[in-house]
Amino acid sequence: MSFLDLAQSRYATKNYDSTKKISQDKIEELREIIRLSPSSINSQPWKFLFIEDEEIKSKLAEISFHNTQKIKDASLLVVFTRIDDIKIFEKQLHENLSQGHIDYYNQKIKDKDEAEIKAWFENQIYIALGFFISACSSLDLDSTPMEGLEKENYDKSLNLEGYKTVVAVAVGYKDKDDFNQPSLNPKLRLSKEEITKLI
Ligand SMILES: Cc1cc2nc3c(=O)[nH]c(=O)nc-3n(C[C@H](O)[C@H](O)[C@H](O)COP(=O)(O)O)c2cc1C
């Protein structure tokens, strides 16, 4: 399938078929794909939690506003977290990244406000999010990116230390009658002319 075909067919799934589970091979492939997500200076200020355990998934579903049923029925929930403790980031940076990237961080990022540095971390998470939902579609999996979560309660339920929840993705197989699939609910987007310009 071409990337354009993927972009036209993927959609934010609203109802999942709870009887269909994702194979372990596909889960391993998703883990490898997300590991390969790009990030500014290869910073990788993240951890991705792949949750299949029904008890934990149900507990998180209850602290996910209007997303409760999706999370219960989807086979997998992936929680995208960013580093919250700058010391963890700097240790990771020094242990793993090239001198050029370390120099860039020291010169351009390190002296910013802590809030700005964390916002920069969060920007990287959203790159991984786009990468990941496209990857799901390429593996014939349906997915829903979700910001509608009680993020602080996610952090507590998952016992996160030094990391904070940013966004999560439900992954699985759509209910065949899901009202939101593009064949029943065509995609709404601004026109190419409005949002792109050939110069
Ligand atoms: C960062 C982000 C957060 C979103 N949060 C939710 C959410 O909490 N629940 C939900 O059902 N859809 C959520 N969506 C889905 C969007 O509403 C959806 O992507 C948008 O309406 C475009 O529709 P499409 O993805 O079906 O093409 C989110 C999407 C993104 C990218």
Side-chain angles (χ1 to χ4, degrees), residues 10-12 14 66-67 70 126 145-148 187 189:
R10 73 136 293 283
Y11 74 103
K14 303 294 180 183
H66 57 296
N67 293 308
K70 284 170 216 139
Y126 282 92
M146 297 172 296
E147 279 180 327
K187 276 189 182 290
R189 293 290 194 271

